[in-house]
Amino acid sequence: MGRCAIYDVAVKFVMVPGGWQGGWVFDSVAAELRRDGHQVEAVTLAGLELDGPADVDRPPNLDTHIDQVAEIIERSGETPLALCGHSYGGMVIAGVADRLGDRLEQLVFIDAYVPNDGDSCWSLTSDSFRDLFVAGARADGRWVAVPEGLDPRARPHPMASFVQSIRLEGNPGRAPGRTFISGGAWVGSPFLALTDRLRDDPDWRVHEIPVGHNIARRDPHSLAAFLGELAPDFT
């Protein structure tokens, strides 16, 4: 019997990938959640399409990606929603939640940036990642080349989305539950201090899957199992 049958709660998970990756990174996680009766929409952000961006000379920025995911939430009907973001995707889901928090039951940051108003991926990340961004964008200043070791489906990431500051208005209303899933103490992680801080915050749930940053690829079963366990909180 699947988790959905146990709790009689069907959830829609909208999943936003991190830098350079597309919705394909969640394929194994999505398959397990769907087997349990949930819906999953794994997003490929604008500019990261497998066939390349529509306009190479005008890379999308953070606002573009927030608008894209907000549109998905707005057309998702009345099914309980969990909005999940990995790494850079945390910037995106934070912006969406600021606009549409009333539509969300859960906000899940998967080893991801958790911004305040005015933050950017650039300001929140580590020096090593800033160096990687600059080196990767050296060719044209617009697109950050795919780092070594990523999946062949990965695509250059728009630099504008890494450096643009987020605008959060702190809109009043019912706030979704907030969860941070840590990948543990991998080399170069910019999330260690954040994880420690959130562990002491009663408004957050912190869970660890200590396999490194790319949790969806390294341990999709544990990630899907934990996300499925959030279902009782939707009742």
Side-chain angles (χ1 to χ4, degrees):
M1 183 179 291
R3 289 179 293 274
C4 183
I6 292 173
Y7 298 117
D8 195 28
V9 177
V11 174
K12 179 170 182 176
F13 292 90
V14 177
M15 312 192 82
V16 181
W20 302 282
Q21 302 181 101
W24 46 263
V25 77
F26 295 112
D27 283 352
S28 296
V29 178
E32 293 204 29
L33 290 170
R34 288 175 181 135
R35 279 197 295 270
D36 285 341
H38 301 298
Q39 302 175 43
V40 180
E41 184 162 355
V43 182
T44 293
L45 294 170
L48 282 298
E49 299 88 353
L50 287 175
D51 57 357
D55 189 347
V56 174
D57 293 327
R58 298 189 56 165
N61 60 17
L62 177 59
D63 283 342
T64 309
H65 291 159
I66 292 171
D67 290 344
Q68 178 185 354
V69 177
E71 183 178 350
I72 292 170
I73 299 302
E74 288 176 326
R75 61 171 167 76
S76 290
E78 298 303 316
T79 303
L81 291 170
L83 180 57
C84 311
H86 171 243
S87 196
Y88 162 75
M91 302 293 301
V92 179
I93 69 171
V96 174
D98 189 61
R99 297 186 197 177
L100 300 172
D102 286 347
R103 286 287 293 112
L104 304 172
E105 299 293 334
Q106 294 285 337
L107 199 60
V108 183
F109 293 80
I110 305 170
D111 219 43
Y113 300 98
V114 180
N116 293 316
D117 182 50
D119 286 335
S120 65
C121 185
W122 178 272
S123 71
L124 292 176
T125 199
S126 62
D127 286 341
S128 61
F129 274 99
R130 281 188 282 268
D131 290 345
L132 186 151
F133 296 164
V134 171
R138 188 166 291 141
D140 62 8
R142 296 171 176 168
W143 298 91
V144 181
V146 179
E148 291 184 8
L150 288 188
D151 188 282
R153 292 168 290 184
R155 293 293 181 265
H157 193 98
M159 182 68 156
S161 69
F162 284 152
V163 299
Q164 183 185 10
S165 296
I166 196 168
R167 296 186 296 274
L168 300 176
E169 298 181 1
N171 291 322
R174 181 183 60 81
R178 292 183 292 176
T179 297
F180 187 87
I181 302 176
S182 168
W186 50 274
V187 176
S189 172
F191 306 117
L192 298 181
L194 170 65
T195 303
D196 289 342
R197 175 169 61 81
L198 296 182
R199 287 189 198 279
D200 295 330
D201 189 327
D203 292 330
W204 284 81
R205 171 182 1 209
V206 175
H207 179 73
E208 186 168 333
I209 304 176
V211 295
H213 185 46
N214 208 340
I215 299 171
R217 299 299 303 280
R218 293 187 172 215
D219 194 350
H221 175 73
S222 293
L223 180 56
F226 179 75
L227 293 174
E229 289 168 4
L230 294 177
D233 294 337
F234 286 65
T235 57

